[in-house]
Amino acid sequence: MGGVGEPGEGPAPPGAPLPTFRWEQIRQHNLPGDKWLVIERRVYDISRWAQRHPGGSRLIGHHGAEDATDAFRAFHQDLNFVRKFLQPLLIGELAPEEPSQDGPQDAQLVEDFRALRQAAEDMELFEAKPAFFALLLGHILAMEVLAWLLVYLFGPGWVPSTLAALVLATSQAQCWCLQHDLGHTSVFRKSQWNHVAQQFVMGQLKGFSAHWWNFRHFQHHAKPNIFHKDPDVTVAPVFLLGESSVEYGKKKRRYLPYHRQHLYFFLIGPPLLTLVNFEVENLAYMLVCMQWTDLLWAASFYSRFFLCYAPFYGLPGALLLFVAVRVLESHWFVWITQMNHIPKEIGHEKHRDWASSQLAATCNVEPSLFIDWFSGHLNFQIEHHLFPTMPRHNYRRVAPLVKALCAKHGLNYEVKPFLTALVDIVGSLKKSGDVWLEAYLHQ
């Protein structure tokens, strides 16, 4: 075993004893262009390689100067394959006297969580059922055909058009769920098959970029509800969430009437997220990052949509139908995806272990056959965040094991009724607005 290493030594020569590092040394390497991280007690310099990371430099960079062991295991299917890419980045290992995790983390919780994951693997809970996902795709395609038949058979009147818009919005919502499964590589054994299928679902069936979605969504999973790391909660100055309420109040920042954000949320949140924010952000990402394949997939969606409906409505009418579908779909997206997160803790980086950080930012919604389908099993948000590559049809089976882990360590395993979860979104926005107002007036 080599001695205590010095910063900047570079990759260890093959066969040479590995230098050892202390956490105080590793913490110094969490800067742009200078990133180290720890996986399974080995220290890697990812400074130059981060830009080539398939999940994006931001995703891996969010774990700079941390023990990323559980994140590494959570995001990757074939660990042995991925370790081949890590080997050239290896520069040393933790000194024997150093703990595996930095800071005030519960080593027993970390150990128990890893044992739980191993138990889930032994129970084959990471194995997908092809028939389950084939049925999901089949019912999406059936809804697309049904919507067109409604207009074709009954004409472009208000009633068939309204029904068609509702069916299409439901189809689009279910597409979000299926592409989400594919993005997490939880459908096929081979990652490449998941990526190709996700491009089809996200591009041809939805008109969005799979790479754009993965870029932002994986960051959310890596650091849920953490400002400047989770794009889903980095929404200031439009909305203030969690700790940002106090910060804006103390600094006398008032770009909007934040004490009324729970009201204007209904005007600009659910109606416009996918229609405006996602459409603009998605297009900008494809152009700036030159994702030309995704752009062609997206173009195929718009071509198909307007070729199907312009003959009945004309171009302006087909555009109006498209807007109606996106607005309906946007309501589903906001309420379903945020009912598990906005009411939870939102703030700056706390450097918790994987299990604690995921549990602090998520809660579940009481399951039923309808809620499971309607939410794409995102009502099992705790299980999904702990095991993002697990096929969703296995969440019910792993849930009792997760509950037992939480009970053992005094962690909150929160489950809410569906309507309560929706109301809590508005309540959380109001609470954050009130906190802002109090800080604004009294500081």
Side-chain angles (χ1 to χ4, degrees):
M1 188 69 65
V4 174
E6 294 297 330
E9 286 187 344
L18 288 175
T20 59
F21 296 97
R22 298 184 298 271
W23 278 112
E24 63 187 51
Q25 294 173 286
I26 296 169
R27 282 195 294 268
Q28 299 172 14
H29 298 271
N30 189 25
L31 301 170
D34 182 16
K35 295 277 185 182
W36 292 8
L37 54 75
V38 177
I39 297 174
E40 298 166 341
R41 295 191 61 84
R42 295 199 157 199
V43 183
Y44 298 92
D45 183 350
I46 61 167
S47 305
R48 297 181 180 179
W49 184 81
Q51 294 295 333
R52 299 180 0 228
H53 180 242
S57 60
R58 289 189 187 180
L59 173 62
I60 195 170
H62 290 338
H63 294 284
E66 291 184 353
D67 172 42
T69 301
D70 291 307
F72 172 73
R73 294 173 179 172
F75 284 117
H76 302 102
Q77 284 182 316
D78 189 343
L79 298 183
N80 290 327
F81 175 76
V82 180
R83 287 188 181 101
K84 296 177 182 178
F85 294 91
L86 286 176
Q87 188 59 36
L89 312 177
L90 179 65
I91 59 171
E93 59 187 0
L94 285 174
E97 67 274 11
E98 290 290 302
S100 296
Q101 295 83 34
D102 186 25
Q105 298 184 12
D106 187 341
Q108 187 60 53
L109 171 60
V110 173
E111 181 181 340
D112 288 347
F113 172 72
R114 291 174 183 175
L116 169 57
R117 181 179 179 89
Q118 184 60 55
E121 292 175 0
D122 294 341
M123 294 169 65
E124 298 184 345
L125 298 185
F126 290 89
E127 297 296 322
K129 296 179 180 178
F132 176 87
F133 291 103
L135 185 61
L136 287 178
L137 177 59
H139 97 297
I140 289 170
L141 297 177
M143 283 189 283
E144 293 285 323
V145 173
L146 175 60
W148 184 84
L149 286 175
L150 284 170
V151 180
Y152 176 77
L153 295 175
F154 300 104
W158 280 105
V159 173
S161 297
T162 300
L163 291 174
L166 289 171
V167 171
L168 284 171
T170 305
S171 172
Q172 288 293 294
Q174 290 300 310
C175 280
W176 278 118
C177 300
L178 181 56
Q179 73 82 26
H180 176 252
D181 298 321
L182 292 162
H184 281 297
T185 64
S186 62
V187 179
F188 298 105
R189 289 177 180 269
K190 292 187 176 181
S191 297
Q192 187 62 31
W193 294 4
N194 286 287
H195 297 326
V196 171
Q198 186 193 20
Q199 282 190 308
F200 168 76
V201 175
M202 195 61 160
Q204 163 55 220
L205 298 183
K206 288 202 61 63
F208 287 101
S209 163
H211 288 92
W212 161 76
W213 171 260
N214 293 340
F215 168 76
R216 62 172 292 135
H217 188 63
F218 292 166
Q219 292 183 73
H220 160 71
H221 269 272
K223 296 291 182 178
N225 285 13
I226 301 298
F227 291 140
H228 311 301
K229 294 186 177 182
D230 179 359
D232 289 359
V233 298
T234 308
V235 293
V238 180
F239 295 104
L240 300 183
L241 304 174
E243 295 174 4
S244 65
S245 304
V246 177
E247 294 172 5
Y248 267 59
K250 288 182 177 180
K251 295 178 180 179
K252 305 298 182 183
R253 292 179 178 175
R254 184 176 181 173
Y255 304 112
L256 288 168
Y258 297 120
H259 58 300
R260 298 285 185 265
Q261 67 177 0
H262 62 291
L263 299 178
Y264 69 72
F265 167 76
F266 290 94
L267 298 176
I268 63 176
L272 301 180
L273 179 69
T274 59
L275 177 65
V276 178
N277 184 61
F278 276 9
E279 291 282 1
V280 172
E281 186 181 316
N282 170 70
L283 180 60
Y285 179 88
M286 289 190 290
L287 294 176
V288 171
C289 298
M290 296 182 288
Q291 294 291 345
W292 307 126
T293 301
D294 283 6
L295 189 61
L296 288 173
W297 275 116
S300 73
F301 163 80
Y302 288 101
S303 299
R304 174 178 59 83
F305 185 91
F306 286 102
L307 284 173
C308 284
Y309 293 102
F312 302 109
Y313 298 100
L315 192 59
L319 182 61
L320 182 61
L321 176 64
F322 170 79
V323 170
V325 171
R326 278 288 191 253
V327 169
L328 290 169
E329 165 199 357
S330 187
H331 277 83
W332 174 91
F333 188 95
V334 171
W335 292 106
I336 293 300
T337 62
Q338 297 310 307
M339 65 183 180
N340 311 89
H341 292 300
I342 285 184
K344 301 296 289 182
E345 179 184 317
I346 302 174
H348 295 284
E349 178 67 81
K350 303 295 191 301
H351 298 289
R352 295 183 171 110
D353 61 85
W354 176 262
S356 297
S357 64
Q358 303 302 326
L359 285 161
T362 56
C363 66
N364 282 2
V365 172
E366 292 177 352
S368 70
L369 289 177
F370 173 76
I371 295 299
D372 292 356
W373 168 79
F374 187 67
S375 68
H377 289 83
L378 292 180
N379 52 321
F380 288 94
Q381 195 73 224
I382 293 174
E383 288 72 23
H384 172 56
H385 265 257
L386 290 174
F387 310 108
T389 61
M390 180 179 289
R392 55 168 141 144
H393 52 70
N394 287 329
Y395 293 160
R396 281 179 180 264
R397 295 179 61 193
V398 79
L401 303 181
V402 176
K403 288 180 186 177
L405 177 74
C406 292
K408 177 179 179 180
H409 291 276
L411 298 171
N412 185 23
Y413 185 93
E414 187 175 11
V415 183
K416 302 178 181 179
F418 179 62
L419 293 180
T420 300
L422 300 183
V423 171
D424 282 352
I425 295 177
V426 181
S428 295
L429 289 170
K430 185 178 187 305
K431 180 180 178 181
S432 295
D434 291 343
V435 169
W436 167 82
L437 184 60
E438 181 178 357
Y440 184 86
L441 293 176
H442 293 94
Q443 288 295 325

